Amino acid sequence: MTGLQPLSLAALLADKPGEGGVARVSVTDRVWRAVALGCRDGLHDLLGLWVDRNCVHMALADCERRLLAIAALKLGRGEYPSVGQFHAPALRLERTLRDLKGVTPLDLPDTRAWIDHGVWPAPPPGHRHWQSPEKQYAFLTADGGGEGLHQIAVGPVHAGIIEPGHFRFTANGEAVVRLEERLGYVHKGIEALATGANLDQGARLAARISGDSTVAYSYAFALAAEQATGITPPRRAVLIRAIMAELERVSHHVNDVGAICNDASVVALHARATIIREDMLQTQVRCFGHRLMMDKIVPGGVATDLSPEGAAEIEALLRRVETGFGQIVRVYDEAPSLQDRTVTTGILKPELARRFAAGGFVGRGSGRAFDTRAIFPYPPYDELSFRPALRSEGDVNARVWIRIDEVRSSFDLIRQLLKLLEPGPTHNPVPPTEGQGFALVESFRGDVLVALRMDSEARVAGFHARDPSCFQWPLLEAAVEGNIVADFPLCNKSFNCSYSGHDM
Amino acid sequence: MRTLLLRSLLEGVAVIDPPRPDQQAVAELAAALGRTTRQRLGRSLAIREVDAGSCNACELEIHALSNPVYDVERFGVKFVASPRHADVLMVTGPVTWNMREALERTYAATPHPKFVVAVGDCAANCGVFAGSYACAGRVADIVPVDIHVPGCPPAPLDLLKSLLALVGAMAK
């Protein structure tokens, strides 16, 4: 490996045109390592890592030059050079690949099983050499504290109505010295289920990767399927998709701002926020036929239409939410007892957010100016005017304010979209065509990635999805360090990572 | 803050829109639930929620039960932090192999008499995840289930209806 120089995405793509926005490049072992070194040196961002057929794929982005690429490396004997040995954000992705596909990332520094907890009676389909791992998980230890350190084990069943996961805190008195997450509890084998499924089943599975981002996942799945089969959805469908996506974003941002206030013991704001959310969900079921708008974006268009009355209802809803949320924001802004809890709590350093390519409010609260809608816009965002929110303090407060700003910009986007709506069809048929698709869609939490391969009989031949949480979960560990244990719920809620989206 | 609290007081508790049929049902159901629950469990029904593999959509709607519109606590129905405090386990998701033991242990930690409500299509029949190597089965395959609430995810109103059915079943 001596003399190996990092390779930038710009250099890798010097003479390769992007197809549908993303360039696909077959690389050698040496180039693969060089590109991984480029991730380490911050020349480009790692977006995803997956195995399809006999290749390992690495999705990369150069946000400054607006370049997107997928590097593919042939797996020799099921092995390939680990990216994680150079670039920590790849570690859990590669541990997942080991567990689910049986590939071996050579020189992977952390070879503990991640998704496979040692209780599956049978291996995931297509696994190369399955051997059930030890049930006992070797948590990392914290040295140097002597007898002053103690551990707190939490989960997988938590105290609230939330998803399961295990948190192992090492604390020195009240201060968290180390947090280590243990995830994978809700692994459902979605990639394996989608492989071989028909397009409709595939779309339904994608919609259930993370229920809170169901619109965003359906959106990404549809874009990837349309790219793979070479079709375009009707314009009206394109606009309705974005209206639903923005409504989903607003409902979660409002709800989570309230939930953060709740964790800081200001229950009245939480109650107000949940009333707004309920109002939104009731409007959504009337306008689109499902409270969460699940399965309403489908490959080829949308499975619902928006009536003129529905459009008027959404406009009225926006006015109500604007007023109600405005009141919440005013109190949040003026209450010292709230600021005391959120300002300087759970700081995520901008350098870490950049290195992990943190998406959504986690990245934008720590100075990473990335919003898929602005950097790699998909229709209809390419024709909408919109400025992503950005802050650099990286604390709970910054993440709250990013969400507040995004609620406001979503109001504006929805109004622009409603104005653009014109009567027309809402669905185009998807022909059985072989092809590959790749999509990035901005969910409320950040960029969701879907890579899809269709066969000639309209079946899903290869499927991979990557939740923004995959890069945010490790950052939560870093943000919590040095905070008091009692502030963990605030930090956690301000990240609000998805367990199901991560575990798949 | 004072303005907001004052407004909350002056606006009253009319958080539910002027009654339309399903809103009416909320009120009717809630009243009935309160009456029977009071008889059976001394005005309280403590629920411990367990996500055994859900996509988290069911959790969103279970959460909504506690918002001021449905306000399930009005009727003595309360979500608690520990299975040791619970009368009811509300379980979502196809039970993944990775969550199976945690679900069994949560069930074991719940004192008798206990009831299990399986929430959502996945809990009832694994939904779109049926047949996966990673799923151990329906909730009923792992712990005894008293009642199923269908839906993907079930709406809060349906959840409320089913809580009522459970209370009714307990009366027998």
Side-chain angles (χ1 to χ4, degrees):
Chain A
M1 222 199 315
T2 41
L4 189 64
Q5 292 298 313
L7 182 68
S8 75
L9 200 52
L12 177 72
L13 299 180
D15 51 354
K16 310 249 182 4
E19 160 215 332
V22 60
R24 292 175 187 270
V25 197
S26 282
V27 298
T28 61
D29 201 90
R30 195 177 162 81
V31 172
W32 177 270
R33 288 171 197 263
V35 169
L37 283 173
C39 292
R40 179 198 67 185
D41 291 357
L43 304 179
H44 43 250
D45 294 334
L46 174 69
L47 291 187
L49 206 56
W50 68 94
V51 168
D52 186 28
R53 287 187 284 197
N54 199 32
C55 284
V56 56
H57 296 75
M58 172 159 49
L60 301 155
D62 179 335
C63 300
E64 250 171 65
R65 296 179 185 78
R66 315 256 163 136
L67 298 172
L68 270 179
I70 300 172
L73 171 69
K74 266 229 160 66
L75 286 160
R77 294 194 313 255
E79 300 170 342
Y80 74 94
S82 153
V83 179
Q85 64 179 314
F86 306 117
H87 188 56
L91 284 177
R92 287 179 180 172
L93 304 182
E94 296 193 312
R95 290 167 68 190
T96 303
L97 285 184
R98 272 169 52 102
D99 287 359
L100 300 187
K101 305 284 182 176
V103 297
T104 308
L106 296 169
D107 300 314
L108 178 68
D110 186 348
T111 53
R112 291 174 297 168
W114 180 238
I115 299 292
D116 188 344
H117 290 195
V119 291
W120 295 337
H127 195 288
R128 285 163 173 79
H129 51 79
W130 187 67
Q131 209 182 357
S132 197
E134 287 281 315
K135 258 188 82 182
Q136 194 69 36
Y137 188 70
F139 283 96
L140 300 174
T141 52
D143 297 327
E147 290 180 353
L149 299 182
H150 65 282
Q151 287 202 333
I152 308 169
V154 185
V157 178
H158 296 295
I161 305 172
I162 56 170
E163 301 176 79
H166 182 90
F167 298 121
R168 184 66 58 97
F169 296 93
T170 305
N172 184 356
E174 271 292 286
V176 177
V177 174
R178 160 172 267 153
L179 161 63
E180 189 179 5
E181 296 149 359
R182 172 88 175 109
L183 301 173
Y185 288 94
V186 287
H187 174 70
K188 295 178 274 287
I190 294 177
E191 287 192 13
L193 283 168
T195 307
N198 65 37
L199 197 58
D200 177 51
Q201 292 165 331
R204 288 176 62 79
L205 279 162
R208 286 155 184 80
I209 289 172
S210 182
D212 51 18
S213 308
T214 178
V215 173
Y217 270 107
S218 295
Y219 205 152
F221 186 87
L223 289 177
E226 286 152 10
Q227 195 185 94
T229 53
I231 64 150
T232 334
R235 178 164 170 80
R236 187 172 171 82
V238 170
L239 297 171
I240 291 177
R241 282 177 178 183
I243 292 174
M244 292 196 277
E246 294 307 320
L247 286 171
E248 180 178 73
R249 191 181 328 280
V250 172
S251 69
H252 287 296
H253 280 346
V254 170
N255 192 62
D256 288 354
V257 168
I260 289 168
C261 295
N262 192 45
D263 280 341
S265 302
V266 184
V267 184
L269 292 185
H270 178 53
R272 294 242 158 209
T274 57
I275 292 173
I276 296 175
R277 177 178 164 79
E278 182 62 28
D279 187 10
M280 293 193 71
L281 265 55
Q282 290 186 5
T283 308
Q284 285 161 196
V285 69
R286 287 196 298 273
C287 292
F288 301 110
H290 192 286
R291 280 169 56 93
L292 305 175
M293 302 172 288
M294 198 173 247
D295 299 325
K296 296 306 173 189
I297 294 182
V298 292
V302 286
T304 177
D305 200 354
L306 182 62
S307 65
E309 299 79 49
E313 253 205 84
I314 290 175
E315 287 195 27
L317 172 77
L318 290 185
R319 285 193 294 275
R320 291 197 300 276
V321 177
E322 224 164 15
T323 313
F325 190 58
Q327 289 166 359
I328 292 175
V329 172
R330 215 167 307 130
V331 176
Y332 178 81
D333 199 19
E334 289 169 0
S337 59
L338 267 169
Q339 306 281 323
D340 184 49
R341 296 292 308 276
T342 59
V343 176
T344 72
T345 303
I347 295 177
L348 170 65
K349 295 197 182 88
E351 152 56 20
L352 270 182
R354 189 199 56 73
R355 185 138 64 99
F356 277 72
F361 46 83
V362 172
R364 292 193 283 277
S366 291
R368 182 171 184 258
F370 180 85
D371 185 316
T372 320
R373 295 172 295 170
I375 307 288
F376 299 114
Y378 41 96
Y381 292 97
D382 42 5
E383 53 174 302
L384 303 176
S385 85
F386 139 83
R387 204 163 47 103
L390 189 66
R391 287 186 170 240
S392 58
E393 307 89 276
D395 54 4
V396 172
N397 183 53
R399 288 186 283 279
V400 168
W401 276 104
I402 294 286
R403 284 164 168 248
I404 292 170
D405 292 342
E406 285 183 25
V407 167
R408 290 169 177 160
S409 77
S410 289
F411 287 150
D412 186 45
L413 284 170
I414 296 171
R415 288 188 173 119
Q416 291 181 46
L417 288 159
L418 287 171
K419 278 205 192 83
L420 291 171
L421 270 187
E422 273 168 25
T426 52
H427 190 262
N428 285 335
V430 183
T433 316
E434 253 181 287
Q436 299 190 88
F438 173 88
L440 274 184
V441 162
E442 189 73 16
S443 73
F444 84 94
R445 190 178 273 127
D447 48 310
V448 305
L449 176 156
V450 168
L452 187 65
R453 189 162 50 82
M454 298 296 300
D455 69 12
S456 56
E457 287 158 57
R459 275 192 316 241
V460 177
F463 175 73
H464 174 70
R466 192 269 304 140
D467 196 84
S469 308
C470 294
F471 296 124
Q472 295 167 345
W473 273 119
L475 294 173
L476 175 62
E477 295 182 341
V480 164
E481 202 182 302
N483 285 261
I484 58 171
V485 176
D487 273 344
F488 176 71
L490 268 178
C491 299
N492 188 29
K493 197 72 218 175
S494 78
F495 272 68
N496 191 16
C497 300
S498 171
Y499 299 70
S500 184
H502 168 279
D503 297 352
M504 286 279 288
Chain B
M1 177 80 87
R2 260 181 252 133
T3 325
L4 184 99
L5 291 176
L6 199 61
R7 192 178 284 128
S8 302
L9 285 173
L10 295 178
E11 279 173 5
V13 291
V15 280
I16 295 178
D17 289 342
R20 291 174 297 105
D22 59 337
Q23 298 287 358
Q24 193 76 49
V26 175
E28 285 167 13
L29 277 171
L33 179 60
R35 199 168 52 242
T36 331
T37 334
R38 272 197 296 278
Q39 284 168 358
R40 295 293 139 205
L41 283 163
R43 296 184 175 209
S44 87
L45 191 63
I47 304 177
R48 171 64 252 183
E49 200 266 350
V50 183
D51 174 344
S54 125
C55 75
N56 80 31
C58 286
E59 276 62 37
L60 293 174
E61 294 297 51
I62 292 173
H63 254 295
L65 276 177
S66 302
N67 73 28
V69 176
Y70 302 104
D71 192 15
V72 76
E73 278 204 33
R74 280 181 293 176
F75 317 109
V77 176
K78 183 174 184 207
F79 287 93
V80 293
S82 167
R84 298 191 195 282
H85 306 157
D87 309 306
V88 175
L89 291 184
M90 215 176 216
V91 187
T92 63
V95 181
T96 63
W97 281 108
N98 289 352
M99 267 307 284
R100 185 179 124 123
E101 187 188 340
L103 174 60
E104 286 170 344
R105 286 169 66 169
T106 307
Y107 182 79
T110 311
H112 287 284
K114 54 188 162 189
F115 304 89
V116 175
V117 181
V119 173
D121 292 346
C122 293
N125 56 26
C126 296
V128 296
F129 306 111
S132 171
Y133 64 90
C135 296
R138 319 170 289 154
V139 174
D141 294 333
I142 314 299
V143 293
V145 170
D146 296 284
I147 200 160
H148 288 95
V149 190
C152 187
L157 191 69
D158 298 329
L159 289 165
L160 210 51
K161 278 182 190 164
S162 300
L163 281 175
L164 172 75
L166 173 65
V167 176
M170 284 176 352
K172 281 176 195 148

